[in-house]
């Protein structure tokens, strides 16, 4: 007897060993690979779902995280589906035996023996139900138990369990039927969801709610009898109505969601910085405002809202109507590269303040200019003569901006924009010129708005934050100094002024103008209308136009985009403080001459207070007046070489730059001119030589008609010049007054042009001529 038992034990051990070896070999040769595809879920900052996607096989299947599986959900599912889940190795031998006996006795299938693990194996590799496939299913269950923890297997079950149609998993079902995440479900809702997988086609939430409630309550009472949950909790669940129905999948901020999906491929749950309340307010206002613009042929609008303290994006409206296929509503206007119009000017002005080129009261001549062949014009085609820096920025004048960019340098400006995250500028940096300050470049709304947020943060730029790292919290991002706090303060003060032409007409007397600094922009051809504003808390950017690039006559930043910007600020941050600017201690005050903005001289009788940056701003003294020696009748002027011993007088005259004097002459503006110099004097003067404005040095000009086509000769001179002399290829051609235009017919491929004034000062240029 003992020998037989021993032999049986040895045989059993051999069989068990062989089975173990076979299992190990099967596991090695046929490893279990779940390979479950989950569609990304985009969450707002508060954890609510704002957008979902379908999988490639067009299923609503989302990854239920372990921390989303509440104890109540675990208990309910395990109790109903597999009470011994925590104890068996993937196969419940007793359940299999019971099911086999019952099936033989009743000659039909009366109960199943599938554990949760076996169900996971079947859902991972669906096959026709046969005894052979059941054996494979059991093998796979053992493999799953070998490689995964019980919680991970339960997680897979909850992610794959069917809920009818194309809804798979508890997370997808809770979002689509209850519009909430699994960890927000009540016990009644959990129980309702637990009974659907057994009959996904006959019990459909929203259609069969009454039948589902009956089944739900049966299971709730079983829970109570087995003391799974407290009686009071069960009572509340029994009384809870079932308000489930199939909602539309969340589709808030579709362009933003796609952007996040592309930025984080493979991530199944993307936690973003979006504030649902701010997002909804921004969208409602943008959509309503955009609908009214359709009557004017304007169909698209984009908005971004940034929290200046954290640089988190709180609202993102890629387009006002994503479903408007006829007008390309699916385009992401926040990322689209468009002409910025005048919106880059504040950075340039602040940069020039930091370079010591200007202060708010520094005057700039707003007159016609020609810089290497580039001849800019103001928006209204008018010129204003001398104007302060702050007025030039408030009025968004083009010519002063081009002059400042020429002084600061295009390369320095593009480098500054690159530091501020303008990738589109960096890509084209070697092709950009002076026109970029008037919109001759491409930018994105998010780039532009992030720049303005740096103005609100004392000139410190930080990249925008779109997502949250849940494991480490908000990370500090490296800050880059774009402007000094002093320049930011001065520039912000200018942009906060209400007395400016880009204030919308309806807001001139309105108390509802938000307490913000803002700048508008309109691109060439009226294709883009911009308005970017900021206060201490938020920066908001608005773009309005047509994605197909069609311009509209009435489109402009002030009248089209700014009203929406004001509405957004009033809705989102209406209680903003009036005094939100923080003045830096390093900013100084000083008296300057009103005429030039420079430190006053003895003759500067009209003075004004101005901000300046100590150690940086220019300390040049004003020279807007110059003393001149005159004959008693004030008919001629003298210099030190021809000044008589007696019989002369001294008088002050305006020291007007050549370009300003030329504009005064052209516009017939009266000004006090210095009398002509003593004709008997042979001295050649130092000072400003004539500036040839009609032609550009080293440029090529095309001549179609060699016999009759003429080129213009025109120059700007100092105030004391009365006559100029033109030379072509070193041969005298003509004399003229400084404001007089002359014309000549070129005859050679290279032409040297010289202009000499009556003080002996000379300027030479050389041009190329191509004859067709």
């Amino acid at each position: 007897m003992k020998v037989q038992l021993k032999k049986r034990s040895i045989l059993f051990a051999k069989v068990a060993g062989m089975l173990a070896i076979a299992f190990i070999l099967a596991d090695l040769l046929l490893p279990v690979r779940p390979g479950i595809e989950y569609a990304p879920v985009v969450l707002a900052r508060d954890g609510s779902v704002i957008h979902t996607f379908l999988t490639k096989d067009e299923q609503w299947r989302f990854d239920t995280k372990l921390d989303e599986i509440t104890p109540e959900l675990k208990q309910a599912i395990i109790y109903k589906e597999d009470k011994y889940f925590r104890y068996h190795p993937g196969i419940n031998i007793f359940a299999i035996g019971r099911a086999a006996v019952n099936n033989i006795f009743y000659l039909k299938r009366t109960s199943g023996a599938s554990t949760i693990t076996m169900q996971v194996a079947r859902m991972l590799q669906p096959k026709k139900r046969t005894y052979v496939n059941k054996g494979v299913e059991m093998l796979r269950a053992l493999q799953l138990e070998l490689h995964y923890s019980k919680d991970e297997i339960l997680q897979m079950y909850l992610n794959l369990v069917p809920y009818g149609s194309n809804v798979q998993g508890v997370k997808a079902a809770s979002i689509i039927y209850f519009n909430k995440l699994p960890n927000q479900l009540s016990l009644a809702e959990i129980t309702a969801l637990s009974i659907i997988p057994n009959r996904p086609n006959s019990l459909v939430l929203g259609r069969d709610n009454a039948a589902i409630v009956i089944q739900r309550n049966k299971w709730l009472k079983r829970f109570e009898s087995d003391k799974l949950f407290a009686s009071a909790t069960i009572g509340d669940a029994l009384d809870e109505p079932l308000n489930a129905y199939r909602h539309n999948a969340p589709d808030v901020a579709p362009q933003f969601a796609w952007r996040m999906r592309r930025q984080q491929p493979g991530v199944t749950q993307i936690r973003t910085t979006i504030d649902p309340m701010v997002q909804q307010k921004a969208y409602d206002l943008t959509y309503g405002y955009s609908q009214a613009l359709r009557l004017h042929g304007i169909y698209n609008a984009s908005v971004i809202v940034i929290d200046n303290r954290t640089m988190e994006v709180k609202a993102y409206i890629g387009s006002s109507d994503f479903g408007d296929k006829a007008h390309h509503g699916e385009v992401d206007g926040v990322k689209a590269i468009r002409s910025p119009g005048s919106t880059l000017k504040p950075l340039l002005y602040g940069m020039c303040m930091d370079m010591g080129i200007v202060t708010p009261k520094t005057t700039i001549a707003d007159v016609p200019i020609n810089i290497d062949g580039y001849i800019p014009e103001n928006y209204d085609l008018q010129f204003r003569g001398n104007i302060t820096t702050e007025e030039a920025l408030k009025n968004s004048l083009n010519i002063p901006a081009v002059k400042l960019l020429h002084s600061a340098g295009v390369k320095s400006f593009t480098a500054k924009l690159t530091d501020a995250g303008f990738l589109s500028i960096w890509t084209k940096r070697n092709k950009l010129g002076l026109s970029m300050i008037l919109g001759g470049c491409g930018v994105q709304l998010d780039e532009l708005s992030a720049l303005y947020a740096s103005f609100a943060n004392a000139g410190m730029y930080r990249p925008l934050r779109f997502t949250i790292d849940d494991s480490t919290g908000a990370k500090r991002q490296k800050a880059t100094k774009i402007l000094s706090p002093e320049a930011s303060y001065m520039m912000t003060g200018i942009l906060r002024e209400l007395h400016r032409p880009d204030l919308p007409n309806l807001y001139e007397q309105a108390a509802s103008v938000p307490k913000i600094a803002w700048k508008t922009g309109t691109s060439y051809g009226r294709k883009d209308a911009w308005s970017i504003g900021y206060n201490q808390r938020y920066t908001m950017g608005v773009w309005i136009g047509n994605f197909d690039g069609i311009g509209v006559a009435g489109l402009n930043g002030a009248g089209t985009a700014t009203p929406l910007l004001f509405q957004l600020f009033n809705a989102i941050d209406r209680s903003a403080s009036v005094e939100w600017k923080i003045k830096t201690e390093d900013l100084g005050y000083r008296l300057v001459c009103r005429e030039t903005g420079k430190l006053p001289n003895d003759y500067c009788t009209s003075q004004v207070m101005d901000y300046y940056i100590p150690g940086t701003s220019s300390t040049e003294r004003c020279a807007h007046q110059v003393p001149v020696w005159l004959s008693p009748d004030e008919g001629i002027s003298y210099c030190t070489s021809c000044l008589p011993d007696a019989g002369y007088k001294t008088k002050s005259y305006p020291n007007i730059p050549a370009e300003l004097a030329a504009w005064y002459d052209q516009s017939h503006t009266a000004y006090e001119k210095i009398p002509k110099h003593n004709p008997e004097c042979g001295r050649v003067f130092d000072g400003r030589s004539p500036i040839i404005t009609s032609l550009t040095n080293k440029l090529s000009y095309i001549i179609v008609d060699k016999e009759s086509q003429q080129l213009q000769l025109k120059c700007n001179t100092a105030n004391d010049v009365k006559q100029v002399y033109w030379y072509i290829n070193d041969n005298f051609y003509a004399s003229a007054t400084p404001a007089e235009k002359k014309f000549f017919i070129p005859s050679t491929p290279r032409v040297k042009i010289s202009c000499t004034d009556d003080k002996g000062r000379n300027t030479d240029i050389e041009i190329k001529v191509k004859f067709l």
Side-chain angles (χ1 to χ4, degrees):
M1 191 71 170
K2 290 183 178 179
V3 174
Q4 288 180 343
L5 288 173
K6 187 175 181 180
K7 287 181 178 180
R8 289 176 183 175
S9 298
I10 293 171
L11 179 61
F12 179 78
K14 288 181 179 180
V15 171
M18 292 175 64
L19 289 173
I21 292 171
F23 173 72
I24 292 170
L25 289 173
D27 186 55
L28 291 173
L29 297 174
L30 301 169
V32 62
R33 294 190 179 95
I36 306 170
E37 181 201 355
Y38 298 114
V41 176
V42 182
L43 306 179
R45 202 183 207 293
D46 63 1
S48 60
V49 180
I50 60 174
H51 200 91
T52 55
F53 294 92
L54 284 166
T55 59
K56 291 178 182 177
D57 57 352
E58 296 190 350
Q59 299 293 310
W60 295 111
R61 186 192 308 119
F62 310 133
D63 187 11
T64 308
K65 302 296 182 182
L66 288 172
D67 59 2
E68 292 179 307
I69 304 174
T70 61
E72 294 80 7
L73 179 57
K74 289 181 182 179
Q75 288 176 281
I77 293 295
I78 291 174
Y79 179 89
K80 182 179 177 302
E81 294 295 326
D82 187 359
K83 291 182 181 179
Y84 302 101
F85 171 70
R86 295 290 181 186
Y87 310 105
H88 60 64
I91 302 171
N92 189 335
I93 301 298
F94 299 103
I96 292 174
R98 185 192 68 241
V101 170
N102 288 340
N103 292 347
I104 292 171
F105 183 80
Y106 291 104
L107 299 178
K108 63 177 182 179
R109 186 176 181 271
T110 59
S111 64
S114 293
T115 62
I116 285 177
T117 314
M118 291 171 65
Q119 291 183 62
V120 170
R122 183 170 62 250
M123 289 186 287
L124 287 174
Q125 295 177 329
K127 292 182 176 67
K128 186 177 180 181
R129 293 197 176 190
T130 65
Y131 288 111
V132 173
N133 287 339
K134 179 63 73 172
V136 173
E137 186 180 301
M138 293 167 66
L139 173 64
R140 290 303 192 189
L142 291 171
Q143 288 181 283
L144 286 169
E145 292 280 349
L146 179 65
H147 295 287
Y148 297 95
S149 68
K150 288 290 186 180
D151 281 343
E152 288 173 330
I153 293 171
L154 182 61
Q155 181 185 16
M156 281 189 268
Y157 173 82
L158 293 174
N159 285 335
L160 294 170
V161 65
Y163 283 93
S165 185
N166 62 341
V167 181
Q168 290 186 9
V170 168
K171 189 169 187 174
S174 63
I175 290 173
I176 291 174
Y177 291 115
F178 294 101
N179 200 25
K180 58 179 71 172
L181 291 171
N183 55 7
Q184 299 168 335
L185 294 171
S186 67
L187 178 59
E189 292 165 338
I190 289 171
T191 308
L193 286 180
S194 70
I195 65 176
I196 303 299
N198 300 117
R199 299 165 59 186
N201 296 320
S202 60
L203 291 179
V204 177
L205 284 165
R207 187 192 70 185
D208 306 306
N209 283 5
I212 293 172
V213 168
I214 293 171
Q215 294 299 319
R216 179 199 73 179
N217 291 348
K218 285 181 180 179
W219 279 101
L220 284 171
K221 289 172 182 177
R222 290 184 188 180
F223 295 161
E224 184 178 25
S225 64
D226 283 356
K227 302 188 183 322
L228 198 64
F229 302 105
S231 296
T233 304
I234 296 293
D236 291 340
L238 289 168
D239 293 335
E240 184 177 317
L242 181 61
N243 295 319
Y245 62 93
R246 182 152 185 164
H247 298 78
N248 290 326
D251 60 351
V252 175
Q255 290 98 334
F256 174 75
W258 274 102
R259 180 173 181 173
M260 294 302 98
R261 183 178 184 178
R262 285 189 290 267
Q263 286 184 1
Q264 301 192 41
V267 178
T268 58
Q269 186 162 287
I270 305 170
R271 185 82 173 269
T272 73
T273 59
I274 294 294
D275 183 320
M277 290 184 63
V278 175
Q279 175 73 25
Q280 192 61 51
K281 286 181 180 179
Y283 178 75
D284 289 344
L285 286 171
T286 305
Y287 179 80
Y289 187 81
S290 182
Q291 290 301 301
L293 292 178
R294 297 172 75 87
L295 298 173
H296 305 283
I298 304 169
Y299 297 100
N300 304 116
S302 302
V303 169
I304 190 170
V305 178
I306 302 165
D307 187 324
N308 296 329
R309 300 169 301 180
T310 61
M311 294 304 291
E312 293 182 356
V313 174
K314 295 300 179 184
Y316 188 112
I317 315 297
S319 69
S320 51
D321 188 355
F322 183 81
D324 185 6
K325 303 296 183 184
H327 301 101
H328 314 285
E330 69 280 4
V331 172
D332 186 352
V334 175
K335 281 189 65 180
I337 298 176
R338 313 286 299 197
S339 166
S342 297
T343 53
L344 295 178
K345 288 177 182 175
L347 175 63
L348 173 64
Y349 278 77
M351 180 177 166
C352 289
M353 291 173 182
D354 274 334
M355 296 174 73
I357 298 174
V358 295
T359 61
K361 299 298 182 183
T362 302
T363 58
I364 306 172
D366 177 33
V367 297
I369 57 171
N370 182 334
I371 302 177
D372 297 331
Y374 181 53
I375 306 174
E377 295 178 326
N378 287 324
Y379 185 77
D380 58 3
L381 303 180
Q382 301 297 313
F383 305 99
R384 291 159 179 78
N386 262 356
I387 190 168
T388 64
T389 297
E390 60 185 358
E391 288 299 318
L393 179 55
K394 280 197 296 184
N395 287 274
S396 195
L397 299 180
N398 292 340
I399 291 171
V402 171
K403 284 181 159 184
L404 290 179
L405 181 56
H406 184 61
S407 298
V410 172
K411 286 188 177 180
S412 297
F413 188 58
T414 54
K416 189 72 72 173
L417 287 168
T418 300
D419 289 342
F422 283 76
L423 296 179
S424 47
I425 295 291
W426 182 84
T427 304
K428 303 284 187 180
R429 64 192 182 281
N430 295 325
K431 300 178 181 179
L432 298 174
L434 294 175
S435 65
M436 68 181 297
I437 197 59
L438 309 184
C441 59
V443 302
Q444 298 176 185
L445 179 58
D446 54 354
E447 295 173 340
L448 203 53
S449 301
L451 172 67
Y452 277 65
S454 72
F455 302 156
N457 288 323
M460 299 302 293
Y461 168 80
R462 287 176 293 157
L464 293 180
R465 297 187 61 219
F466 297 98
T467 59
I468 297 169
D469 185 343
D470 290 324
S471 61
T472 60
K475 294 181 178 179
R476 287 187 174 273
Q477 295 172 325
K478 184 180 178 182
T480 303
K481 183 179 178 181
I482 300 299
L483 296 177
S484 69
E486 296 77 30
S488 296
Y489 179 85
M490 290 188 284
M491 188 266 298
T492 295
I494 296 171
L495 295 183
R496 288 189 68 200
E497 287 289 334
L498 295 179
H499 302 290
R500 48 197 276 190
D502 60 350
L503 181 71
N505 294 332
L506 296 177
Y507 283 85
E508 287 180 355
Q509 304 298 327
S512 59
V513 176
K515 304 170 184 68
I516 63 171
W518 84 96
K519 181 72 183 74
T520 63
T522 307
S523 68
Y524 180 77
R526 296 181 181 269
K527 298 178 181 180
D528 307 275
W530 304 83
S531 193
I532 319 292
Y534 60 96
N535 61 14
Q536 194 166 21
R537 177 70 184 278
Y538 291 107
T539 294
M540 303 186 196
V542 173
W543 173 89
I544 293 176
N546 290 315
F547 287 144
D548 58 11
I550 295 177
V552 179
L555 185 74
N556 63 79
T560 310
T562 301
L564 176 56
L565 179 74
F566 285 3
Q567 290 180 31
L568 289 165
F569 268 103
N570 284 333
I572 295 170
D573 197 32
R574 188 173 181 82
S575 59
S577 170
V578 178
E579 296 300 328
W580 58 272
K581 291 192 305 173
I582 302 175
K583 179 180 175 296
T584 172
E585 295 180 357
D586 294 330
L587 190 64
Y589 295 94
R590 66 184 182 185
L591 283 170
V592 295
C593 176
R594 188 183 297 273
E595 296 293 328
T596 61
K598 298 178 180 179
L599 293 178
N601 225 317
D602 295 338
Y603 45 75
C604 297
T605 56
S606 179
Q607 300 178 16
V608 64
M609 190 65 72
D610 190 20
Y611 288 117
Y612 77 105
I613 305 175
T616 299
S617 299
S618 173
T619 55
E620 183 182 353
R621 289 281 174 181
C622 177
H624 81 277
Q625 292 283 332
V626 57
V628 180
W629 293 307
L630 303 174
S631 60
D633 63 355
E634 301 184 4
I636 60 174
S637 60
Y638 300 111
C639 65
T640 53
S641 298
C642 62
L643 180 67
D645 295 332
Y648 66 89
K649 58 193 295 188
T650 303
K651 182 179 179 181
S652 291
Y653 280 85
N655 187 18
I656 300 175
E659 60 182 8
L660 187 59
W663 179 70
Y664 283 158
D665 290 335
Q666 293 170 22
S667 61
H668 306 291
T669 301
Y671 68 99
E672 198 170 12
K673 298 182 180 181
I674 298 174
K676 65 180 181 180
H677 189 63
N678 181 9
E680 298 179 2
C681 180
R683 175 183 173 185
V684 176
F685 287 81
D686 295 329
R688 292 177 295 220
S689 301
I691 301 171
I692 299 174
T693 59
S694 58
L695 300 168
T696 301
N697 190 35
K698 299 187 183 303
L699 231 59
S700 296
Y701 294 85
I702 296 176
I703 300 297
V704 178
D705 187 345
K706 187 176 181 180
E707 302 300 325
S708 62
Q709 188 171 343
Q710 297 179 316
L711 296 179
Q712 185 186 101
L713 299 174
K714 186 175 178 297
C715 67
N716 290 342
T717 64
N719 186 19
D720 59 348
V721 175
K722 304 302 175 187
Q723 197 80 5
V724 295
Y725 307 92
W726 292 98
Y727 295 83
I728 307 297
N729 291 327
D730 295 323
N731 295 313
F732 176 74
Y733 179 71
S735 61
T737 62
E740 189 177 355
K741 300 174 184 176
K742 293 291 183 179
F743 297 87
F744 76 100
I745 298 175
S747 58
T748 59
R750 291 181 178 271
V751 182
K752 178 183 178 183
I753 300 169
S754 304
C755 183
T756 304
D757 65 19
D758 54 13
K759 301 294 188 294
R761 297 170 293 210
N762 180 74
T763 297
D764 297 327
I765 66 169
E766 186 176 279
I767 64 171
K768 296 178 182 179
V769 177
K770 293 182 179 180
F771 299 99
L772 299 181

